[in-house]
Each structure stands twice: as structure tokens, then as C-alpha cells.
């Protein structure tokens, strides 16, 4: 991809000018602390069960290209990588629709049958104000509850006044291998109305691994989202949103690339507070999204050759092919929050309708775009919190979802009624800075689009998926944890153990072509029973006010109870050590990441994106970072990832595509030494 010159980028130039033109502000009395480059999970809520992160702050490794990239900075998250961007996130070894991904409370699903465009690939993290992760089945407030986690990328209502009628943030980043990012958020208005623009662009060439070998991984993407808000009084908020984005990505781990990732979205939401003495809030929203994704083997790479008979002579000719897939989704939600003394209750209803369509074009076939699946769900929920006293609180909830899936081309359908519920006891002792929780949750999950449509066969071994072949997945999980701080020492832990009946497991065999998996295997889905357990934990110690350290660990374990084999595609034990030196104007940081080998594998089993190929080797990487406040509200952050230029591959990386010369079970390597610099400005 052709790369524009960095200093010709308008956003970059504007920030650079602001750095110098605003230098007189440096003499102001109010000094702001330099932002710390985020390298570890820090902020917890709800006794450690809920994790919050600020996506507008820089992170290391190099600032995120998409939602999956950012989530990897939170303990317990990993990613199945395709190349340089658009990985598919996992949490605690769980994948796909077991993780609920929401943006501003609504779900935007991808369309690719091989999950080339996972839901996180349409998310530009810096366009959001906060990321909230609820671990385990410990909330029922959103449709088709995630069993592993619920993740919300959210934008908050801006606070403007007659004295401050605008606010925003802009950033620009440049890095190795032609990496260039620009992002801007601009909000103008007053106490009663506002307009917010979030826009960004990111691109990179293919990177090199530690041995200097080029890994096909180039990408280019852009996004633009506009919001119009109205706040006629302090208790009322109405917001209309609309957005578009697109991109392309070269994939080392697939036989096709993504040449189009177009998104269009439109939404309306409202919020009314203090309706009565009991009804504290009424909120509702309706959101429409349209994803148009194209994958092909000729726009970003040389197409493969195919031998053809031409007049009795064998000839090799290029065999370009492409597939277009689309998904139209309509989400709606209405919720009411009520409070009586020590009791708080959130009740609501929600729905989702989405239509999936696909086409295929090659030398051998020409299938026009047509709808192949319709999905409808309707749900109702209630979540109750009771504050016994200053120390103990009980939280519980239940919901019911009715789901109907129509397989139009198969002339088949299935209907499911899915219950979910949880109960949790929370304990806090502010005088000791200690919090604990223990909760039990149950959730049923219907097989998702990928498990139903993208597999070659199901339990019955038929040559096409059958909708009544796979049972719903049933998870019963215990979650518990604590966090504590005493002087310069702090610690936290979150642990879980679960039983999953009818866990949906994918096994790969030599069947028909594997839909761009970078392998000749195709997947068959079946139900097994499974047991899972694991934990995330961390400790921190401040040697002085300036010198701070922390270490965190994340481990996930799973077993197929039917065969006593390990569950596949689970990231190995990982530890992170951080050391920071923090001053008013600048910070220095070190991140040492240590990953153990993964010897608990299940050969040729996995999920719709990847499967276990072999045991993985252990590795460790070192990264350095620094930040400096040039003037108030203008910050420069720099970093070096993989300082020692090590050659390594993550356990979850896909096998490289044979079209790029990779062997059938050879995984592509991660990026080698990588330099980056990011400048940001608030206004």
C-alpha cells in the first residue's frame, strides 16, 4: 500500500502546531500529570468482577488497531491472529458468541463465515470513552448473554456549558513498517445540545519478524461517526447517531484477504432520570447496522494458479475468486431502573433481528448475493440489588430469550427458549480497602451463525449442517474474587470454575475446502461436556511515590469431560511485570511479558477460526515506553516493543497460508522490534 508522508497529514500537522503555539500555557500554575502508558489491568469495580479501561490512553504493545488489540491489554484476554489486524478475541479460553461484544449497548455482528470480520474488527477503540468488562455470566442486562464475559465499548454523554462550548482530543501515531494513525474527537454545543464527531484512519505495511522475514500483514482502515445530542433539562438526554467505516487487510493466516469491511450504522437513544420517587431512570435505544464484507484472493495478493484443459492442452491460469457477505442487524432495548430504600431493580425488554446474505464468484461458479439466514430474538430481564448494610450487597438477575433461526437455503429452522440467571454476594470494607465477591451464574447459548452455517457436518455426520443436530450450550459457572490495598501494597484476583453441558466443539478433518482457513481441513461441530477453571491475579507495590511496580498472571484450563482430553485453543499461562517511574511532567515504563509453553492441546480441534496444531514454545518479550507533557494537554509518548527483536509465535496464531509459502502446520511469527511515537492533544 502506498503510504502518505507523515508530516503532510493534516491532523498530525495541526497537533504539531498546537504543541508550539500553546507553549505559553506551560507557565500556568495548574500542572497536569503525564499520562501513564497502559500496560496492565489497573481499574476494577464491583469488587474486582468488573474491569474498566480508558481506550483514549496509549497502550503497549503499540496502540491498538481494533477492539481485539485493545482487549489484549486486559488480563485473561488473548487473540487468534490472522496477520497484523482483525484478530478474533478470546477470554479465559472461550471464543465467539460466548463473549458478548457491544458498542454503546448495541451489538454489531460480523458477516464472514470464517469470522474474517469479527465484531471487534469494526471497533476503533480511541473513538470510545470507556471499556467495561463483566467477567463470567454475572449480568443479564443484554440480549443472548455471554457466558465468558460481556464487553461494552461506550461513549459517555459530554459535559458542556456556556463557559466551555467545545472539547475534544486528537492524536497521531507513527511507527515501524509504515504505521500511521490519526484520530480526532471534537464536540461542540452547550448545556442543551451538542454535536460530536469521532473519526480516524490507520494504516501499516507488512511487518517483519525477529529474523527479518516479512509477514503479509498490511492494512488500511478509516471510520467516521457523528452524534447529535439534545439535553433540554438535566434529567433528559436524546441522541441520534450515524456512522460509516471501511478498510482492507492482508492476511498471512488465510487463503483470502479482506478487501472490504464496510459498516453503516444509525441509532437513536434516550434517557430520562428522576421520573418519580421510585423510578430513577427510563432508557431506550434502537440501532441499525449494515456490514458489507468482501474477501478475495487477487486484490491484495497474486491469485493462485489452476490447471485447465484448453483444446487438449494442459494450461495453468490464474484462478481469482471472491465472496461477498452482508449482515443487516436491528437491535432495540428498553430498560427501567427503580429504587426503594435499599433495593435497586433494573427491568427491561430487548430484541434483535438480523439477516445474513452471501455470494460467491470464481472461474467455476457465479452465485449472486442472496439471503441465507434470518435470526430473530426477543428477551426480557430483571436484575435486582439489595444492600443489606454498609458491607454486604446481594445482586441477582434472570432473563429469558426466545430465538428463532431460519436457514432459508436449507429450508429449515429452529426455535429455542433460553433461560439465564445469576446470584452474587458482594462484600466491602472501605476502612481496610478490601472487597470480595462470589457469584453463581447459569446461561444457555444457542449455536451461533458460524457454528450452524460454517461447518461441514454436525453430530450426525451429515454433509451439511442441520439445525436440530447441535444442542444448546449450557454453562454453570462459579466466579469469585477480591481486591485489597494496604499502604503501598495492593492485590487482586478473579477466579472461576464451570461445568458446560453440550459444549460446542469443532473438529477438523479432510473434507471440502475450509472457507479461507489457510488449510485443507474443514470443521465439524459436535456437543461434548466440558469442565473449565482458571484465574487472573495481580499484585502491585509502590517502592516510592515515583517508583511503582506490578505483576499479573492469567491462566485458563479446560477439559473435554467425555474424552478427558484438553479443550483446544486455550492460551497458556501468561505473566506481565511492569515497572514505572512517574513524575509530574514525564513517565518511564518497562513491560516484561512472559508466556509459558502450551502442552495441553487437542490436535486438530478448535473453533471456527483456528485449531490446535502442535504444542507451543514458551517466550518472553521486553518493551520500553516513555511519555512527556510538552505543555498542558499535549503529551508525547514513545515506545519500543520487542526490544530484543525475538522471533516467536503466539499459541493461538493461525497457520500461514500456503500461498505465501508457509507449510501446512507452520504458524506465522509475531512482529519483531517495533518503534512507535504518539502525540496527543486535549482541547
Amino acid at each position: 500500500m502506498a503510504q502518505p508522508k507523515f508530516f503532510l497529514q493534516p491532523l498530525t500537522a495541526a497537533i504539531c502546531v498546537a504543541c508550539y503555539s500553546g507553549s505559553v500555557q506551560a507557565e500556568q500554575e495548574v500542572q497536569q500529570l503525564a499520562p501513564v502508558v497502559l500496560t496492565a489491568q489497573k481499574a476494577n469495580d464491583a469488587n474486582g468482577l468488573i474491569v474498566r479501561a480508558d481506550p483514549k490512553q496509549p497502550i503497549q504493545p503499540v496502540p491498538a488497531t481494533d477492539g481485539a488489540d485493545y482487549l489484549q491489554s486486559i488480563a485473561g484476554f488473548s487473540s487468534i491472529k490472522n496477520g497484523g489486524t482483525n484478530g478474533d478475541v478470546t477470554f479465559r479460553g472461550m471464543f465467539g458468541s460466548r463473549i458478548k461484544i457491544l458498542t454503546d449497548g448495541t451489538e454489531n455482528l460480523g458477516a464472514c463465515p470464517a469470522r474474517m470480520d469479527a465484531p471487534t474488527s469494526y471497533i476503533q477503540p480511541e473513538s470510545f470513552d470507556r471499556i467495561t468488562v463483566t467477567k463470567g455470566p454475572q449480568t443479564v442486562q443484554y440480549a443472548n448473554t455471554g457466558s465468558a464475559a460481556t464487553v461494552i465499548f461506550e461513549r459517555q454523554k459530554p459535559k458542556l456549558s456556556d463557559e466551555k462550548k467545545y472539547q475534544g482530543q486528537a492524536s497521531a501515531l507513527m511507527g515501524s513498517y509504515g504505521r500511521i494513525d490519526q484520530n480526532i474527537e471534537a464536540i461542540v454545543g452547550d448545556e442543551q445540545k451538542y454535536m460530536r464527531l469521532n473519526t480516524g484512519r490507520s494504516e501499516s505495511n507488512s511487518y517483519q519478524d525477529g529474523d527479518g522475514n516479512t509477514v503479509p500483514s498490511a492494512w488500511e482502515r478509516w471510520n467516521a461517526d457523528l452524534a447529535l445530542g439534545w439535553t433540554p433539562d438535566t434529567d433528559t438526554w436524546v441522541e441520534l447517531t450515524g456512522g460509516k467505516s471501511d478498510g482492507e487487510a492482508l492476511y498471512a493466516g488465510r487463503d483470502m484477504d479482506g478487501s472490504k469491511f464496510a459498516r453503516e450504522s444509525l441509532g437513536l437513544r434516550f434517557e430520562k432520570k428522576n421520573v418519580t420517587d421510585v423510578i430513577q431512570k427510563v432508557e431506550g435505544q434502537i440501532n441499525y447496522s449494515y456490514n458489507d464484507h468482501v474477501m478475495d484472493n487477487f486484490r491484495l495478493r497474486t491469485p493462485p494458479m489452476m490447471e485447465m484443459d484448453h483444446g487438449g492442452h494442459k494450461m495453468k491460469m490464474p484462478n481469482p475468486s471472491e465472496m461477498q457477505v452482508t449482515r443487516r442487524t436491528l437491535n432495540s432495548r428498553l430498560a427501567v431502573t427503580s429504587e426503594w430504600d435499599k433495593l435497586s431493580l433494573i427491568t427491561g425488554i430487548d430484541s434483535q433481528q438480523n439477516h445474513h446474505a452471501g455470494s460467491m464468484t470464481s472461474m467455476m461458479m457465479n452465485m449472486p448475493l442472496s439471503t441465507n439466514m434470518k435470526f430473530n430474538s426477543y428477551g426480557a430481564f430483571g436484575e435486582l440489588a439489595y444492600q443489606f448494610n454498609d458491607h454486604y450487597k446481594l445482586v441477582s438477575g434472570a432473563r429469558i430469550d426466545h430465538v428463532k433461526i431460519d436457514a432459508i437455503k436449507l429450508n429449515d429452522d429452529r426455535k429455542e427458549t433460553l433461560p439465564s440467571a445469576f446470584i452474587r454476594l458482594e462484600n466491602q470494607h472501605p476502612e481496610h480497602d478490601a472487597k470480595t465477591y462470589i457469584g453463581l451464574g447459569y446461561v444457555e447459548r444457542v449455536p451461533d451463525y458460524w457454528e450452524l452455517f460454517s461447518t461441514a457436518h454436525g453430530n450426525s455426520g451429515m454433509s451439511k449442517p442441520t439445525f436440530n443436530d447441535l444442542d444448546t450450550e449450557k454453562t454453570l459457572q462459579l466466579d469469585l474474587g477480591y481486591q485489597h490495598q494496604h499502604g503501598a501494597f495492593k492485590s487482586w484476583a478473579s477466579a472461576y470454575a464451570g461445568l458446560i453441558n453440550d459444549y460446542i466443539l469443532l473438529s477438523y478433518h479432510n473434507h471440502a475446502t475450509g472457507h479461507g482457513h489457510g488449510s485443507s481441513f474443514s470443521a465439524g461441530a459436535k456437543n461434548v461436556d466440558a469442565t473449565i477453571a482458571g484465574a487472573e491475579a495481580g499484585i502491585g507495590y509502590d517502592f516510592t511515590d515515583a517508583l511503582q511496580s506490578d505483576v499479573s498472571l492469567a491462566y485458563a484450563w479446560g477439559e473435554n469431560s467425555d474424552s478427558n482430553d484438553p479443550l483446544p485453543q486455550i492460551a497458556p499461562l501468561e505473566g506481565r511485570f511492569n515497572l514505572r517511574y512517574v513524575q509530574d511532567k514525564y513517565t518511564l515504563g518497562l513491560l516484561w511479558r512472559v508466556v509459558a509453553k502450551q502442552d495441553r492441546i487437542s490436535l486438530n480441534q478448535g473453533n471456527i477460526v483456528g485449531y490446535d496444531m502442535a504444542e507451543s514454545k514458551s517466550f518472553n518479550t521486553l518493551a520500553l515506553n516513555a511519555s512527556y507533557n510538552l505543555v498542558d494537554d499535549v503529551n508525547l509518548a514513545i515506545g519500543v516493543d520487542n526490544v530484543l527483536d525475538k522471533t516467536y509465535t503466539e499459541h493461538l496464531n493461525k497457520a500461514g497460508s500456503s500461498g505465501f509459502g508457509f507449510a501446512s502446520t507452520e504458524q506465522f511469527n509475531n512482529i519483531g522490534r517495533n518503534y512507535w511515537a504518539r502525540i496527543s492533544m486535549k482541547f
Side-chain angles (χ1 to χ4, degrees):
M1 298 180 189
Q3 300 292 324
K5 294 182 179 179
F6 180 72
F7 283 103
L8 294 183
Q9 297 295 325
L11 176 58
T12 305
I15 296 176
C16 291
V17 169
C19 293
Y20 295 99
S21 64
S23 61
V24 69
Q25 297 177 4
E27 299 178 1
Q28 291 180 349
E29 293 182 3
V30 178
Q31 295 292 326
Q32 295 186 358
L33 295 178
V36 175
V37 177
L38 297 180
T39 53
Q41 176 178 324
K42 294 181 69 177
N44 291 331
D45 253 355
N47 311 328
L49 176 74
I50 298 174
V51 181
R52 302 193 193 277
D54 180 0
K56 284 183 162 49
Q57 285 192 243
I59 65 170
Q60 194 170 32
V62 62
T65 67
D66 61 13
D69 254 4
Y70 201 98
L71 289 173
Q72 288 181 91
S73 66
I74 299 174
F77 282 94
S78 299
S79 177
I80 305 173
K81 292 183 178 295
N82 307 299
T85 189
N86 292 350
D88 214 335
V89 72
T90 72
F91 182 65
R92 293 175 165 177
M94 297 293 103
F95 168 85
S97 57
R98 299 180 184 101
I99 308 170
K100 192 74 171 177
I101 304 289
L102 303 168
T103 54
D104 289 327
T106 189
E107 189 171 34
N108 180 24
L109 296 165
C112 177
R115 287 182 70 96
M116 189 180 288
D117 66 330
T120 49
S121 65
Y122 293 98
I123 296 174
Q124 209 298 317
E126 202 169 328
S127 294
F128 295 87
D129 299 317
R130 185 169 66 179
I131 301 172
T132 302
V133 178
T134 303
K135 299 179 180 182
Q138 288 293 309
T139 183
V140 294
Q141 292 188 37
Y142 301 98
N144 307 308
T145 302
S147 59
T150 299
V151 182
I152 305 177
F153 292 77
E154 50 191 335
R155 299 181 180 98
Q156 297 174 314
K157 180 174 64 175
K159 296 180 180 179
L160 300 173
S161 65
D162 291 335
E163 291 75 29
K164 181 69 172 179
K165 292 189 174 183
Y166 65 90
Q167 66 183 52
Q169 177 172 316
S171 70
L173 176 140
M174 66 180 300
S176 302
Y177 312 111
R179 174 76 183 268
I180 298 177
D181 292 7
Q182 302 100 17
N183 285 282
I184 189 167
E185 178 180 73
I187 305 170
V188 295
D190 53 34
E191 292 182 349
Q192 290 192 323
K193 58 187 179 297
Y194 65 86
M195 179 174 67
R196 181 182 63 226
L197 174 67
N198 291 97
T199 185
R201 187 175 183 275
S202 177
E203 61 181 317
S204 176
N205 295 324
S206 293
Y207 67 76
Q208 293 181 349
D209 64 16
D211 290 333
N213 299 314
T214 298
V215 177
S217 52
W219 80 81
E220 183 177 333
R221 66 195 324 140
W222 64 268
N223 68 284
D225 292 271
L226 182 67
L228 302 175
W230 181 45
T231 54
D233 55 62
T234 56
D235 293 328
T236 307
W237 176 36
V238 180
E239 185 180 68
L240 176 67
T241 58
K244 298 188 71 173
S245 64
D246 202 354
E248 61 182 30
L250 179 64
Y251 287 143
R254 295 183 184 267
D255 290 339
M256 286 185 169
D257 304 308
S259 56
K260 187 177 184 181
F261 294 86
R263 166 189 63 92
E264 296 178 0
S265 59
L266 186 66
L268 177 66
R269 60 176 172 172
F270 75 90
E271 182 181 284
K272 182 69 175 179
K273 294 182 177 179
N274 300 317
V275 179
T276 69
D277 291 340
V278 172
I279 300 177
Q280 295 299 303
K281 183 169 67 172
V282 177
E283 57 186 320
Q285 63 186 99
I286 184 167
N287 299 84
Y288 168 81
S289 64
Y290 172 64
N291 293 344
D292 184 1
H293 170 56
V294 175
M295 63 198 95
D296 64 61
N297 63 2
F298 62 90
R299 289 187 176 90
L300 303 180
R301 69 174 75 188
T302 303
M305 305 297 288
M306 183 177 68
E307 193 174 82
M308 298 188 67
D309 192 337
H310 184 71
H313 299 283
K314 298 290 185 181
M315 298 180 61
K316 284 192 173 182
M317 298 182 64
N319 182 26
S321 61
E322 73 173 12
M323 177 183 290
Q324 180 187 13
V325 284
T326 66
R327 193 188 292 262
R328 301 177 186 272
T329 306
L330 183 67
N331 293 279
S332 62
R333 182 175 185 269
L334 179 66
V336 178
T337 302
S338 304
E339 293 184 3
W340 303 272
D341 193 22
K342 298 180 179 181
L343 195 69
S344 176
L345 175 66
I346 302 175
T347 57
I349 55 175
D350 47 42
S351 69
Q352 182 183 116
Q353 290 83 41
N354 74 70
H355 293 182
H356 187 278
S359 71
M360 184 72 188
T361 303
S362 69
M363 293 182 64
M364 307 301 293
M365 68 177 68
N366 186 8
M367 298 171 55
L369 186 70
S370 61
T371 301
N372 52 35
M373 186 276 292
K374 292 183 179 180
F375 175 95
N376 295 275
S377 74
Y378 303 91
F381 66 88
E383 194 164 299
L384 179 72
Y386 183 76
Q387 190 78 44
F388 291 107
N389 51 46
D390 293 340
H391 299 307
Y392 290 96
K393 181 169 72 171
L394 182 70
V395 185
S396 64
R399 72 171 290 130
I400 192 82
D401 288 291
H402 180 72
V403 174
K404 181 183 179 184
I405 305 172
D406 291 307
I408 296 172
K409 288 190 175 181
L410 299 178
N411 193 28
D412 201 355
D413 65 66
R414 70 181 289 168
K415 298 176 182 179
E416 302 287 351
T417 299
L418 308 171
S420 56
F422 75 93
I423 185 168
R424 180 174 73 247
L425 181 64
E426 299 179 5
N427 176 284
Q428 58 181 349
H429 293 275
E431 64 275 14
H432 301 299
D433 287 324
K435 301 177 182 179
T436 62
Y437 72 90
I438 182 168
L440 185 67
Y442 176 82
V443 60
E444 293 191 13
R445 183 181 72 91
V446 69
D448 59 32
Y449 162 78
W450 298 275
E451 293 159 336
L452 289 172
F453 285 84
S454 303
T455 54
H457 56 87
N459 281 344
S460 63
M462 296 182 66
S463 60
K464 66 179 181 179
T466 56
F467 282 80
N468 297 311
D469 195 35
L470 286 174
D471 292 330
T472 59
E473 195 174 271
K474 307 161 189 72
T475 301
L476 178 66
Q477 182 167 309
L478 178 71
D479 281 274
L480 67 160
Y482 82 95
Q483 66 183 72
H484 175 259
Q485 183 167 354
H486 180 71
F489 179 82
K490 54 183 176 290
S491 63
W492 62 270
S494 298
Y496 66 96
L499 299 173
I500 308 178
N501 289 338
D502 297 317
Y503 178 88
I504 299 173
L505 177 69
L506 270 66
S507 299
Y508 283 77
H509 309 282
N510 282 309
H511 290 282
T513 303
H515 298 297
H517 284 278
S519 160
S520 62
F521 285 170
S522 63
K526 64 178 181 179
N527 292 113
V528 299
D529 291 339
T531 306
I532 58 173
E536 306 87 42
I539 58 174
Y541 185 75
D542 296 344
F543 296 98
T544 67
D545 289 341
L547 189 60
Q548 307 166 0
S549 67
D550 63 73
V551 60
S552 63
L553 293 171
Y555 179 71
W557 177 92
E559 183 171 276
N560 180 338
S561 304
D562 292 349
S563 64
N564 294 325
D565 293 325
L567 285 185
Q569 290 289 276
I570 294 182
L573 172 68
E574 177 176 330
R576 294 189 175 205
F577 172 73
N578 295 275
L579 188 65
R580 293 179 296 275
Y581 184 73
V582 181
Q583 292 293 305
D584 289 347
K585 296 277 293 182
Y586 69 92
T587 66
L588 303 173
L590 174 150
L591 166 63
W592 182 32
R593 180 173 175 238
V594 182
V595 180
K597 69 176 183 179
Q598 180 57 287
D599 53 12
R600 287 182 53 80
I601 66 166
S602 186
L603 192 64
N604 296 333
Q605 290 188 329
N607 49 55
I608 201 63
V609 173
Y611 52 87
D612 284 357
M613 291 170 277
E615 295 183 8
S616 62
K617 297 179 180 179
S618 62
F619 65 87
N620 66 89
T621 61
L622 180 67
L624 302 174
N625 64 75
S627 68
Y628 182 74
N629 273 351
L630 300 174
V631 296
D632 286 350
D633 294 324
V634 179
N635 177 260
L636 174 66
I638 59 174
V640 185
D641 302 335
N642 194 0
V643 173
L644 303 180
D645 204 19
K646 292 195 172 184
T647 301
Y648 70 98
T649 182
E650 304 276 357
H651 175 66
L652 296 183
N653 280 6
K654 288 175 62 63
S657 169
S658 59
F660 293 123
F662 290 93
S664 60
T665 58
E666 180 187 0
Q667 293 174 294
F668 64 85
N669 290 325
N670 283 64
I671 194 168
R673 185 182 296 118
N674 181 32
Y675 302 91
W676 56 270
R678 178 183 184 268
I679 189 168
S680 62
M681 174 183 66
K682 293 183 179 180
F683 53 88

